[in-house]
Amino acid sequence: MKAPARSSAILFFFLFLFIGAFLSTRLLDSATSLPTTSVEKPILPTGTAHKPFKIPKKPPVKIEYPLNCSAGNLTRTCPRNYPTAFSPEDPDRPSPPECPHYFRWIYGDLRPWMKSGITREMVERAKRTATFKLVILNGRAYVEKYQRAFQTRDVFTLWGILQLLRRYPGKVPDLELMFDCVDWPVIQSNEYRGPNATAPPPLFRYCGDDATLDIVFPDWSFWGWPEINIKPWESLLKDLKEGNKRSRWMEREPYAYWKGNPAVAATRLDLLKCNVSDKQDWNARVYTQDWILESQEGYKQSDLASQCIHRYKIYIEGSAWSVSQKYILACDSVTLLVKPHYYDFFTRSLMPVHHYWPIREDDKCRSIKFAVDWGNRHKQKAQSIGKAASDFIQEDLKMDNVYDYMFHLLNEYAKLLKFKPTVPEKAVELCSERMGCGAEGLKKKFMMESMVKYPMDASPCTMPPPFSPLELQTFLNRKVNSIKQVEAWEKKFWENQNT
């Protein structure tokens, strides 16, 4: 019986050795697979594919380029230290967004020259009323002035164009154009109709109307209006936004407010009749603005951000369109817009009853009273109209979009030129140094505040397509029908008052 017992013992002994060797090998393999450093590998969830860790890129450092106003060289020469090429550095940046709706009007403004193109002779014919000729060549600006502009309109218009060149260096194409700083459009469309008609002269200005072909361009006040102490748009837009927060719409005065210079137009003098009196309250509070007195008293009563205290604000044109429209629309108040005859570059995309409330031109007082009564009975709807307008101004009309509108308008215009731009003999080169270094007072302050300090690191917004004939007609019909609807409501209201 000893032999079988010994055999079993030997068998268990070898089995034990085999198991021990196997375990030792597994442990050895595990030990040799450990990393040589003390850092542990991350544990990935089951089923998650391992992706290489990507170190986020730091945003590129923006190098500012202040004005080079060295002593003895304040206005004589333009330095060459600013970048001459536009090159966004981040290839991973998302594609630029589509431009706002009102950019689509650019195609319409340039349509008179789509087939013929623009010759030098056409440009020269616009000299008759032009304030200046602008030439952009290889990213640099040259100006030949023909006549003085009112106040500093030409100065801040040119300053704005120089800032566009600083924003997108080397990207604005070579071009020549004529610019008229007077309010009223002058290129009458009926003079350029018919089979034998010549092509109209291309002329840039701040506004247009349905009977003219002037090319609309952002007005000077986007970079400041020192004569009446209106800040550059980017700063003022922030002030207006903060001003809106001070007074909730429901807590505001339930009247329509207007303050301005009535002497510039008969329609404004007519508006004065709508003011409250002992005999009648048309729900309007109308004030005359004395700009001479305001300047003497330090503009204490003309701060735009502190005027957003009424539920309704009236916009009425002056001698032509008025720069005040964007300030009024930005107020969260319902804009009561007296039927306009002119448009600027963004207002054609505003929709009645969505962005503003239309007011009859030929019966202002009763129209204003009805609008205010309607809004005070339908407070939520009225409040939403005011909010839609201020949202449009804060987002679609922010300074980024103003510059991009300028860029796309000039770019599309330059495509139509059938000649090579050249610098006129009497033109002078303009740059931010030449304009800004010698400026003084509010003029200097606003230039420094609105100056583009470095090139953009993103491309301009993407142009939307032009309107198709059906799209344009549908849009215009919608505007007309909205106005007719309000007039029908108004008519019924006054008929009921008289019965």
Side-chain angles (χ1 to χ4, degrees):
M1 295 299 294
K2 289 183 180 181
R6 180 181 293 181
S7 298
S8 298
I10 292 172
L11 180 60
F12 280 117
F13 176 76
F14 280 110
L15 182 60
F16 177 81
L17 289 177
F18 176 78
I19 293 173
F22 176 79
L23 291 176
S24 298
T25 304
R26 297 288 292 175
L27 290 173
L28 183 60
D29 289 342
S30 299
T32 56
S33 66
L34 290 174
T36 55
T37 66
S38 59
V39 180
E40 294 183 357
K41 288 184 177 179
I43 300 175
L44 297 176
T46 303
T48 302
H50 177 64
K51 296 181 180 179
F53 178 70
K54 187 175 181 180
I55 300 174
K57 290 183 179 180
K58 292 183 179 179
V61 178
K62 294 181 179 179
I63 301 174
E64 291 193 7
Y65 294 85
L67 295 192
N68 182 10
C69 299
S70 57
N73 190 30
L74 294 181
T75 61
R76 295 178 187 172
T77 62
C78 292
R80 298 294 194 266
N81 66 322
Y82 199 83
T84 58
F86 172 76
S87 53
E89 299 178 12
D90 186 2
D92 297 328
R93 178 183 290 275
S95 299
E98 186 174 278
C99 304
H101 180 272
Y102 61 85
F103 280 60
R104 303 180 79 176
W105 299 101
I106 288 175
Y107 302 108
D109 287 349
L110 297 177
R111 183 169 290 114
W113 303 276
M114 288 296 182
K115 292 182 179 180
S116 65
I118 297 173
T119 65
R120 185 183 297 280
E121 182 271 335
M122 294 177 191
V123 173
E124 290 302 318
R125 277 195 283 121
K127 181 178 178 179
R128 182 174 58 87
T129 64
T131 308
F132 61 81
K133 174 192 275 190
L134 169 72
V135 176
I136 295 177
L137 202 58
N138 299 321
R140 307 188 76 82
Y142 304 85
V143 176
E144 182 179 11
K145 292 193 176 183
Y146 302 126
Q147 52 189 307
R148 293 190 62 179
F150 178 65
Q151 297 182 338
T152 51
R153 289 185 176 198
D154 58 339
V155 172
F156 278 88
T157 297
L158 289 167
W159 176 259
I161 292 169
L162 290 176
Q163 303 322 300
L164 175 68
L165 297 180
R166 287 173 68 92
R167 182 180 175 91
Y168 297 124
K171 198 168 177 65
V172 179
D174 294 350
L175 56 84
E176 287 185 32
L177 63 81
M178 295 288 185
F179 204 108
D180 189 344
C181 295
V182 177
D183 283 343
W184 314 281
V186 297
I187 309 299
Q188 299 295 323
S189 59
N190 61 7
E191 297 178 5
Y192 302 96
R193 292 175 183 159
N196 299 321
T198 59
L203 181 62
F204 286 71
R205 72 170 63 250
Y206 308 120
C207 73
D209 63 22
D210 293 338
T212 57
L213 301 174
D214 301 59
I215 303 168
V216 293
F217 193 84
D219 70 81
W220 73 94
S221 67
F222 283 98
W223 297 273
W225 191 353
E227 286 83 3
I228 58 174
N229 195 38
I230 290 183
K231 295 180 181 180
W233 183 235
E234 192 162 16
S235 300
L236 183 54
L237 204 54
K238 294 176 183 176
D239 291 349
L240 289 165
K241 191 172 185 177
E242 290 302 313
N244 285 340
K245 295 178 182 178
R246 294 178 207 151
S247 177
R248 293 175 60 250
W249 192 89
M250 293 292 184
E251 298 168 354
R252 296 184 181 187
E253 295 291 327
Y255 304 107
Y257 171 90
W258 182 82
K259 188 174 186 179
N261 180 6
V264 297
T267 186
R268 287 190 174 186
L269 290 172
D270 189 46
L271 178 66
L272 297 181
K273 300 175 184 177
C274 305
N275 217 344
V276 62
S277 67
D278 294 337
K279 297 180 179 180
Q280 181 68 51
D281 186 353
W282 297 109
N283 289 335
R285 303 295 182 262
V286 181
Y287 303 90
T288 297
Q289 176 74 288
D290 185 338
W291 284 112
I292 296 176
L293 180 62
E294 272 297 291
S295 64
Q296 292 172 350
E297 297 181 351
Y299 302 100
K300 294 178 182 178
Q301 303 301 318
S302 58
D303 176 48
L304 294 171
S306 64
Q307 292 182 9
C308 301
I309 58 173
H310 292 77
R311 290 180 185 173
Y312 313 88
K313 294 193 73 175
I314 300 168
Y315 170 76
I316 186 169
E317 293 177 336
S319 56
W321 127 105
S322 171
V323 300
S324 65
Q325 188 166 8
K326 57 182 176 289
Y327 311 131
I328 292 170
L329 288 164
C331 227
D332 270 1
S333 305
V334 181
T335 297
L336 306 185
L337 199 151
V338 180
K339 182 182 178 180
H341 295 273
Y342 301 91
Y343 54 78
D344 68 8
F345 73 103
F346 73 88
T347 54
R348 285 171 285 185
S349 284
L350 297 175
M351 183 60 64
V353 193
H354 178 68
H355 293 112
Y356 66 90
W357 188 271
I359 298 296
R360 296 174 62 97
E361 183 184 30
D362 57 353
D363 197 1
K364 298 180 186 70
C365 300
R366 296 207 310 169
S367 193
I368 289 169
K369 179 171 174 53
F370 169 72
V372 173
D373 283 346
W374 182 93
N376 288 336
R377 290 196 309 269
H378 304 86
K379 295 184 179 65
Q380 296 294 340
K381 291 180 180 179
Q383 186 177 10
S384 69
I385 295 173
K387 188 68 168 59
S390 58
D391 286 348
F392 173 91
I393 296 296
Q394 288 287 342
E395 293 301 320
D396 286 5
L397 201 62
K398 59 188 176 183
M399 206 62 208
D400 287 343
N401 286 329
V402 175
Y403 278 123
D404 285 359
Y405 187 94
M406 295 163 61
F407 170 79
H408 283 300
L409 175 58
L410 295 180
N411 191 55
E412 296 298 323
Y413 170 82
K415 292 177 183 177
L416 299 173
L417 298 184
K418 301 182 73 173
F419 63 94
K420 182 175 175 56
T422 57
V423 180
E425 183 179 345
K426 296 181 181 179
V428 296
E429 183 178 359
L430 272 193
C431 57
S432 297
E433 282 77 10
R434 179 164 277 178
M435 294 192 73
C437 290
E440 297 178 346
L442 279 180
K443 182 178 171 183
K444 173 92 169 187
K445 181 177 183 291
F446 290 166
M447 283 182 172
M448 297 303 99
E449 190 175 318
S450 62
M451 188 179 74
V452 171
K453 298 178 176 61
Y454 41 76
M456 275 293 288
D457 57 1
S459 297
C461 62
T462 303
M463 274 289 283
F467 290 109
S468 70
L470 179 60
E471 282 180 313
L472 180 58
Q473 194 57 53
T474 300
F475 180 78
L476 295 177
N477 287 344
R478 183 183 167 200
K479 294 183 76 167
V480 169
N481 291 336
S482 295
I483 294 172
K484 286 182 177 179
Q485 177 66 76
V486 170
E487 290 178 348
W489 291 339
E490 186 178 320
K491 181 181 178 181
K492 185 176 181 181
F493 171 82
W494 286 109
E495 286 176 350
N496 290 338
Q497 294 294 310
N498 296 328
T499 57

